[in-house]
Amino acid sequence: MEDGKPVIYGLEFQARALAAQVAESETIRFLVGTQSLKLENNQIHIVELHEDSGTLSTQVYQHAAGEVWSLAASPGDSSKIITCFNTLSENGCQVKAALWNLPNLDSISTLNPKDETDKLPQLEKVCSLEAKEQVQDVRTVAFHPTDGQRAVSVLDSQCVLWDLGQNDARVTTTVSLEGKGHPRFTTGKWNPHHNYSQFATAHDSHVRSWDLRSPQTPAWSIESAHCQLVRDVDFNPNKQYYLATCGDDGCSKFWDSRDPSEPIAVRSDHSHWVWQIRFNHFHDQLILTSSSDSRVILTSMASISSEPYSNSGADEVAEAESEQRRKLEDGVLATYEEHEDSVYCVEWSCADPWTFASLSYDGRLVINQVPREDKYKILL
Amino acid sequence: MAEMTGNPYDINGQHFNPDMYLQKLLKECTLQQIMDQESEVVQDTQALHSDMQTLVYENYNKFISATDTVRKMKSDFKKMEDEMDLLAKNMESITSFSEQISCTLQDTRQQISELSGVHSMLKRLQFLFKLPTQLKTRIQEEEFSQAVQDYIHAQRVFQQYGNMTSFQGIQSDCEAIVEELKKKLRDQFRSKEASAKELTESVDLLLQLKEPADSLCADFLSHANSRLAEQLTLLEQSENQDIIEFVDLGSSGVLGNLCLIVASYNDMFINRPYHLDTESDLDSVAVSQLGNFVLHNMERYFNIVSCRVEKEQDIGDTVVLVRALDRFHRRLQAMKTLFSDTDFARTGTDIVLKAGYRQCRSHLQALKTHFSDTLTCVRQSLAAPKLVSQDGDNSSSLFELLSSLVISTVEKVKGVLQDLLVFAQPDLTFVLKPHFQEVFCVESVREHLVVGFLHHLTAVARGFCGSGDVKAPPALLLLLSKMCLEFESSNVHYLLSITDEWFNIEESSAASGLTHASELRSNMLAAAQELLNHYVRMQGLSVSQMLRKSVETRDWLHTIEPRTVRAVMKRVVEDIAAVDSQVGALYEEGQRAERSSDSSRRTQSITVSRHAYRSNWSSYGPSHLDSSLVTNIQKLFSERIEIFSSVEFSKVSILTGIIKISLKTFLECVRLRTFSCYGLQQIQVDTHYLQLYLWRFVADENLVHFLLDEILGSAVHRCVDPVLMEPSVVEIICERG
């Protein structure tokens, strides 16, 4: 890992669900959910990177409930996760969501448990996030950024805020999307600012933000953020009002929610749809995007980040030169081409600001790091 | 031989040496010859001797006659001496007589001279006494100059005898009259009707009367100023006149007058024949006053002219305007001699240049509107004929539209240049100025107009690429892209070289400011590329959206066994064929990858791909690992496909781009769905159908195969019960559909 080479972990199944373990701040851990239409074959992998040796240790759980479409890790309890999974019945398939407990989390081993498939530990289901007579598919579920007791599930045309206290799921608030032609949500994201009261959703080419305390009307919206479908939204964790979107036009756009008429910046580095966009939690000038052109691109947007260009220190003259040298330019820092299929997910590690994982459809998980020179440019 | 001096053998020469001659004779000649020579010499000697004798006789005779003559002269002179003595005596007596006479007349002569002195004095006094009345009459008769002459004449006398009381009276009278005269002169000077000549006269007289010159200058100028101002206002108001008339009026009226004023001023105040003592001081004041005056009036004149020219430009004809400007400029040029210190011709040139620049600007504006009008026309006709002719004709009309767009634009530019060429006719005075060439030809025409318009073209074209204008019909994008390409290949160069040629712009003359054709061309090329990429994306998007909708809205779990190809696939193929014909109208075919011979192509490609399917997912079931391994290995050997990549300017490249985008969308959509067995089979039928019809459009058919394989492979993965249909059945369905 030290020499900057990527660590690759292969899954046996196709996969499009990836999450960093939010509650874990000591070790670099990622969660991966698989997709197999043989439902009982589905698994949740916990992959842990040992930074010193560059080796991986994994723990695999059986997720027999269905193929995993989306995955979220609880910010409060590292053993709690929510998955959105596809179930099959005679009437067709439906995507549901449930809160799970990962048993024996401590026993993560470097052993590869492939040969003992039958003995995979089962996930313990805590509760399912399912309202009565729910027929809509669950798009994604997002945990409250700090409170493991609350989560929002994004359905086709509803967002439901759940209270997960006492191992039980209760609906507290519902946001409904209404409009011509039955618009459908594609994704949703909890806004980490404003005391966690806002939740942003994307449908078609629009982005809307809802105040969960008064969910009747959107707090603000970006109409036609992209000229095609918006695939993902992410908030700058360190700078209020700033957010990023990506979509099927192959662009990443950066917005100030106070002025949603024009993006602050637009980048178009991918050659196909951009599926996910992520701000680095610590150094928000670092931005990761994953795309179905099989690439992951690390971009720097230093000019609109929360970290100012120059720290106005006492000896500015002396620093001016070195400042010039280490200033990080806007632009692509690195393109990672280890994947050979569409990359649907990319996530920063919650423990190490320089490490991230990306997952392509063919089940390849690649753990990479920010190039060292860029790292130094930011640190020094 | 005779002319050879110093020859000792020449018998007639000075340096004749008899011995040597003799020796030579003896040595060279025969005896006979010597004998002959001797007799010859003897004969010669005798002849010479006789000649000499006759000469002596002749001279002797002459000498004797001369002696006789001298003797005769001596006797004659004696007689003459006596007569001379007599004459001297007579003269002495005459002198004594005349002395006597002058003594007697002395007194009378003195009296006469005294009397004549008194007479002249009296005459002068009489003149003085008469002077006042005379002056009065002169003034009444308006013979001012004579009056002034008289007064000046008398003044000297007054100065001499000023202390005498009787004269003082006359002097004061005279002065009063002269004051009156001065007043009259000033009145004349100030009167509005006075001609320049009268003015000159009165000023001249006033000056002779020792009026202070500087105040006269000021008076003169202020008066001239008011008159000029009148003329200028007249000029300003003459709006409804023809511009040429206007300029003529300005030139002959205002400028003519100004010249006259300046000329007379120069004569009067600056180049005076008689100099006063304060001359140098006065001169500088006078010159500066004149300078201010001229400057002020010229400024006003220029203002009026430039206003007028500006107005004229909105309506008028360039030829007339240029002719007027030329006259204007010519006149100013002529004035140059008059005002050496300020170069009004320069200001005039500036006005001409400004006019030229404005002309360019308005032409540029006209060009822009013309271009946008043509574009609107093109858009309309793009929208219209689709209703009329669905097939074939569409493409040819597209080409016609393109050529008409390009040609009309180029012709319009040429027309404008021709119009502007009037400004650069070599017989115009201002064209000769080097300044003009630089500013008008290079800056205004070339850089501002031509280069500016070309930049405008690219900017407008690029404007359609912005995500904002989604309404732009794709055909327009294609058309504009081709237009930019055409401009890039020939028209940019053509227009620039025409401009350079017509306006004599040399590359070297202003190398710094010239925008090079290559820069414009690369701009054009970039715009063409951008437009084409945008076109591909737009068309790809429209096909994608059809495909996406068809995948997203269908319930793939509860579909029936496929009997036909889905209509949307046919629609996709139709659309792509339409795009193909549209693009084909404008772009070349382009390079295709090598492919198998025509006869075996279809079947072979199908069997190959089917083989690939088999190997790919026949093993599905027992081991998932294998299948993913196989796809991965397959991918290892195939190149990464860039979906939203730049396309080349060829039909196949464009269509490849569109098809790539569409099929990739299809793939991504399939991956988001779950299929039943029949759903999978429907996809199988659809992909087979696409395979049958899409290969012909692309550069590399393997690309289509690869993407379709991916789609079907993904569908297999997303199928709960992956059982494929018999290939023969698929083929039958496709052929029937």
Side-chain angles (χ1 to χ4, degrees), chain B residues 469-520:
Chain B
D469 195 359
V470 196
K471 288 170 282 176
L476 183 70
L477 294 175
L478 195 66
L479 203 69
L480 283 175
S481 162
K482 186 65 182 173
M483 182 198 79
C484 286
L485 211 59
E486 295 238 314
F487 265 93
E488 191 266 338
S489 66
S490 60
N491 291 326
V492 167
H493 184 74
Y494 174 66
L495 285 178
L496 280 186
S497 56
I498 271 196
T499 316
D500 288 356
E501 192 189 318
W502 286 1
F503 291 90
N504 298 321
I505 300 169
E506 287 157 32
E507 289 284 330
S508 54
S509 67
S512 52
L514 285 186
T515 314
H516 206 260
S518 62
E519 186 192 326
L520 289 166

Side-chain angles (χ1 to χ4, degrees), chain A residues 14 16 37 67 69 88 90-91 228 248-249 271-272 292-295 337 339-342 344, chain B residues 537 541 548 557-558 632 635-636 640 642-644 664-665 668 671-672 674 717-720:
Chain A
Q14 289 168 336
R16 58 195 315 159
L37 283 166
E67 50 173 10
W69 280 86
L88 286 170
E90 284 132 33
N91 311 338
Q228 295 175 53
D248 284 1
D249 54 1
S271 71
H272 201 237
S292 36
D293 66 355
S294 321
R295 289 197 180 92
E337 313 218 1
H339 293 289
E340 271 148 18
D341 205 336
S342 304
Y344 295 127
Chain B
R537 278 204 182 201
L541 180 64
R548 170 188 279 186
L557 276 174
H558 299 104
N632 282 349
K635 276 177 191 166
L636 271 182
R640 197 182 276 270
E642 298 285 332
I643 305 299
F644 291 164
K664 181 76 177 177
T665 308
E668 292 296 339
R671 283 180 175 185
L672 290 171
T674 310
H717 278 298
R718 296 297 313 151
C719 180
V720 286

Side-chain angles (χ1 to χ4, degrees), chain A residues 134-292:
Chain A
Q134 178 182 312
V135 287
Q136 294 182 4
D137 283 345
V138 182
R139 296 279 157 192
T140 187
V141 176
F143 266 110
H144 185 281
T146 53
D147 182 2
Q149 304 291 320
R150 300 171 76 193
V152 171
S153 66
V154 181
L155 309 182
D156 279 344
S157 63
Q158 275 186 332
C159 291
V160 184
L161 176 61
W162 301 88
D163 186 346
L164 301 174
Q166 293 121 34
N167 297 338
D168 189 11
R170 277 176 288 114
V171 177
T172 49
T173 316
T174 307
V175 174
S176 301
L177 180 68
E178 279 155 15
K180 262 200 293 185
H182 303 292
R184 289 174 164 200
F185 286 123
T186 42
T187 187
K189 198 90 184 183
W190 212 303
N191 189 336
H193 303 291
H194 314 300
N195 204 18
Y196 313 111
S197 61
Q198 290 189 8
F199 191 82
T201 59
H203 66 276
D204 285 345
S205 57
H206 317 295
V207 175
R208 287 200 182 154
S209 178
W210 311 84
D211 193 321
L212 294 172
R213 294 165 299 187
S214 66
Q216 291 79 28
T217 52
W220 49 262
S221 60
I222 304 173
E223 299 296 322
S224 300
H226 288 261
C227 53
Q228 295 175 53
L229 200 70
V230 176
R231 286 279 168 195
D232 195 25
V233 180
D234 197 33
F235 286 91
N236 188 326
N238 304 324
K239 200 174 182 184
Q240 274 197 86
Y241 310 116
Y242 281 68
L243 68 154
T245 59
C246 60
D248 284 1
D249 54 1
C251 293
S252 315
K253 295 191 181 180
F254 298 86
W255 306 85
D256 183 336
S257 60
R258 291 165 298 185
D259 176 21
S261 56
E262 281 289 314
I264 319 165
V266 178
R267 293 210 61 91
S268 161
D269 300 316
H270 283 290
S271 71
H272 201 237
W273 307 350
V274 185
W275 283 76
Q276 219 156 37
I277 186 161
R278 287 289 180 266
F279 282 102
N280 189 303
H281 308 304
F282 305 92
H283 307 286
D284 53 73
Q285 60 267 59
L286 297 177
I287 285 132
L288 280 173
T289 46
S290 71
S291 155
S292 36

Side-chain angles (χ1 to χ4, degrees), chain B residues 176-244:
Chain B
I177 294 167
V178 166
E179 275 310 314
E180 198 185 328
L181 172 64
K182 280 183 187 173
K183 217 177 116 194
K184 267 211 160 165
L185 282 174
R186 270 178 196 274
D187 282 350
Q188 186 186 354
F189 176 62
R190 282 189 189 129
S191 82
K192 296 200 171 176
E193 292 80 28
S195 69
K197 205 176 165 199
E198 282 173 333
L199 274 181
T200 320
E201 194 193 288
S202 25
V203 169
D204 193 31
L205 293 178
L206 282 170
L207 270 179
Q208 285 184 34
L209 292 174
K210 291 195 185 164
E211 277 293 287
D214 49 349
S215 77
L216 272 182
C217 289
D219 269 4
F220 179 77
L221 286 182
S222 71
H223 175 67
N225 207 359
S226 67
R227 289 211 316 171
L228 265 184
E230 254 173 59
Q231 269 183 321
L232 283 172
T233 24
L234 201 72
L235 192 66
E236 213 169 358
Q237 284 158 353
S238 65
E239 273 179 11
N240 41 8
Q241 261 174 328
D242 185 32
I243 177 113
I244 290 189

Side-chain angles (χ1 to χ4, degrees), chain B residues 11-203:
Chain B
I11 200 159
N12 297 322
Q14 260 181 336
H15 303 273
F16 178 65
N17 191 333
D19 293 339
M20 282 167 72
Y21 181 73
L22 209 61
Q23 271 173 1
K24 188 178 169 229
L25 274 180
L26 290 177
K27 267 183 207 161
E28 288 173 359
C29 306
T30 56
L31 185 63
Q32 187 61 43
Q33 275 177 325
I34 296 173
M35 299 276 281
D36 291 350
Q37 185 80 22
E38 195 217 358
S39 64
E40 201 178 309
V41 168
V42 170
Q43 272 176 6
D44 282 356
T45 320
Q46 282 171 348
L48 282 172
H49 206 250
S50 65
D51 283 355
M52 211 163 69
Q53 273 181 338
T54 52
L55 272 177
V56 168
Y57 283 127
E58 274 174 15
N59 282 341
Y60 188 70
N61 279 338
K62 280 178 187 165
F63 180 70
I64 287 170
S65 68
T67 335
D68 288 348
T69 319
V70 169
R71 199 175 292 146
K72 201 178 167 191
M73 270 166 68
K74 255 183 184 169
S75 65
D76 285 353
F77 271 121
K78 252 193 191 129
K79 223 194 235 167
M80 219 147 79
E81 214 171 329
D82 296 341
E83 280 173 6
M84 282 306 282
D85 285 344
L86 196 72
L87 182 68
K89 266 183 207 160
N90 285 345
M91 280 310 286
E92 262 171 41
S93 68
I94 291 169
T95 324
S96 64
F97 276 130
S98 84
E99 270 172 12
Q100 269 180 337
I101 292 168
S102 65
C103 278
T104 357
L105 289 181
Q106 185 90 32
D107 295 342
T108 339
R109 206 188 301 140
Q110 269 178 353
Q111 277 177 347
I112 289 171
S113 71
E114 251 172 57
L115 279 174
S116 74
V118 168
H119 177 75
S120 73
M121 175 73 98
L122 283 175
K123 230 185 179 177
R124 227 179 284 168
L125 282 175
Q126 192 189 10
F127 170 73
L128 278 182
F129 290 127
K130 268 188 185 168
L131 186 62
T133 46
Q134 202 171 1
L135 283 178
K136 265 183 197 164
T137 50
R138 288 259 153 88
I139 287 169
Q140 269 164 6
E141 284 162 19
E142 302 215 321
E143 286 179 24
F144 301 119
S145 64
Q146 194 57 48
V148 171
Q149 285 283 316
D150 289 350
Y151 175 70
I152 288 169
H153 208 59
Q155 209 166 25
R156 252 173 286 145
V157 183
F158 289 135
Q159 267 171 1
Q160 219 170 348
Y161 304 102
N163 42 4
M164 288 186 196
T165 43
S166 52
F167 288 130
Q168 272 171 359
I170 299 171
Q171 192 176 3
S172 60
D173 276 1
C174 282
E175 267 164 15
I177 294 167
V178 166
E179 275 310 314
E180 198 185 328
L181 172 64
K182 280 183 187 173
K183 217 177 116 194
K184 267 211 160 165
L185 282 174
R186 270 178 196 274
D187 282 350
Q188 186 186 354
F189 176 62
R190 282 189 189 129
S191 82
K192 296 200 171 176
E193 292 80 28
S195 69
K197 205 176 165 199
E198 282 173 333
L199 274 181
T200 320
E201 194 193 288
S202 25
V203 169

